[in-house]
Amino acid sequence: MAIMTASAGERRVGQGSNPAFKLSIYESISRISGWLEKNDYRGYDTFDGLSARFLRPFTFETKLLRIVLQQTVRRFPINLRPVLGITREQSSKGMGFLARGFMRLHKTTGDPAWAGKAEMALQWLIENQSKGYSGACWGNHFDYHREGFTYRKEFLPSCGPL
């Protein structure tokens, strides 16, 4: 533990200034971006277990069984989602992070393709705002259980009601 504490805050030098290392990072980012496009920016979420179409009815909407389902899907070492009927979805949080990342890539590289991708993510956010709330706000695209409550996807905006 002392070694970790001693190195906290120190800046590593060397790799960041290495052109081959920078190229390797950029190629990795490009591959991830390609995967995202190929999958229409859809993926699973850590807490989307209550979207299990085939098992959710067997929770009988009880607190304990909802927790068991959500945590089993979340922690199981093999991805059970396809078997349980959980589909990959686009995420408002994910699109926000992508927009920010694409803007940073555009600023760093000057490549207009990254600006276009940032615009696409921002446009998606504009078009997918939660309805009935003041200002721009978004919610999760799935139900989840937390701290004794089940939050329904339609009641998850990140801002207050009108």
Side-chain angles (χ1 to χ4, degrees):
M1 190 65 157
I3 294 172
M4 288 177 61
T5 307
S7 66
E10 290 179 14
R11 185 174 179 186
R12 290 186 145 182
V13 235
Q15 288 184 337
S17 58
N18 180 342
F21 180 73
K22 287 181 180 180
L23 180 61
S24 169
I25 295 294
Y26 187 78
E27 287 171 349
S28 179
I29 291 169
S30 296
R31 283 193 305 275
I32 290 170
S33 179
W35 183 91
L36 288 166
E37 286 177 18
K38 179 181 160 194
N39 288 279
D40 193 30
Y41 297 91
R42 294 176 185 276
Y44 298 116
D45 189 277
T46 306
F47 292 98
D48 62 3
L50 293 182
S51 299
R53 289 184 307 211
F54 306 129
L55 282 184
R56 175 77 181 260
F58 296 105
T59 66
F60 306 105
E61 293 307 312
T62 63
K63 175 182 167 183
L64 177 63
L65 292 177
R66 284 192 307 257
I67 291 170
V68 168
L69 175 58
Q70 180 176 288
Q71 293 301 320
T72 299
V73 171
R74 179 175 179 239
R75 297 169 188 264
F76 203 75
I78 299 169
N79 184 13
L80 298 172
R81 289 170 176 87
V83 175
L84 299 178
I86 300 172
T87 58
R88 294 178 188 208
E89 299 293 334
Q90 293 176 323
S91 160
S92 55
K93 187 188 302 184
M95 292 305 252
F97 282 130
L98 286 171
R100 182 176 63 180
F102 290 148
M103 286 188 275
R104 287 180 175 174
L105 283 163
H106 172 65
K107 182 178 179 183
T108 302
T109 66
D111 185 343
W114 296 118
K117 291 173 191 272
E119 237 177 85
M120 175 279 308
L122 292 169
Q123 186 62 42
W124 186 93
L125 288 167
I126 290 168
E127 293 169 2
N128 289 278
Q129 296 178 51
S130 294
K131 307 276 187 260
Y133 295 88
S134 61
C137 52
W138 300 265
N140 288 325
H141 56 281
F142 52 88
D143 294 349
Y144 77 101
H145 190 88
R146 178 175 174 224
E147 298 173 2
F149 296 98
T150 297
Y151 297 89
R152 305 274 179 216
K153 65 181 174 183
E154 59 270 13
F155 298 114
L156 291 173
S158 57
C159 59
L162 289 172

